[in-house]
Amino acid sequence: MKKNITLTILTIIMFLSVSCNSGSQKTGNKVLPPQEKLQAYYTCPMHPEVQSNEPGKCPKCGMDLVKKEITLPDSTKKN
């Protein structure tokens, strides 16, 4: 009878130690935040209302258009 109780207690202790350690080993499955997308366009430093998808000259003053980048949130985010 004493052997059965000791064996049962040891079995329970081993089961608990294995089940507690299995959760701490799952470090490879991390949830990463969604990526944000960059959108680029070209604009005039003197006339920000002038925008283009490619480099060139401002039609108002002739200055070179400079590249601007804006960050758009990922559309797959859940609110």
Side-chain angles (χ1 to χ4, degrees):
M1 180 76 170
K2 212 173 195 182
K3 284 185 177 181
N4 287 340
I5 293 174
T6 305
L7 186 60
T8 304
I9 292 174
L10 286 175
T11 304
I12 292 172
I13 291 173
M14 288 185 63
F15 175 75
L16 290 175
S17 68
V18 169
S19 64
C20 290
N21 287 336
S22 65
S24 65
Q25 294 175 355
K26 294 181 180 178
T27 58
N29 296 334
K30 294 181 181 177
V31 176
L32 299 176
Q35 297 293 322
E36 294 180 337
K37 298 179 183 179
L38 286 179
Q39 181 178 2
Y41 65 95
Y42 295 85
T43 185
C44 176
M46 296 296 291
H47 304 99
E49 68 275 6
V50 174
Q51 296 181 356
S52 173
N53 291 333
E54 47 192 46
K57 301 269 185 198
C58 175
K60 293 183 178 182
C61 65
M63 291 181 67
D64 289 334
L65 300 180
V66 293
K67 187 176 184 178
K68 296 284 183 179
E69 291 181 345
I70 57 172
T71 303
L72 299 175
D74 188 7
S75 61
T76 60
K77 284 185 183 178
K78 294 182 180 181
N79 295 330

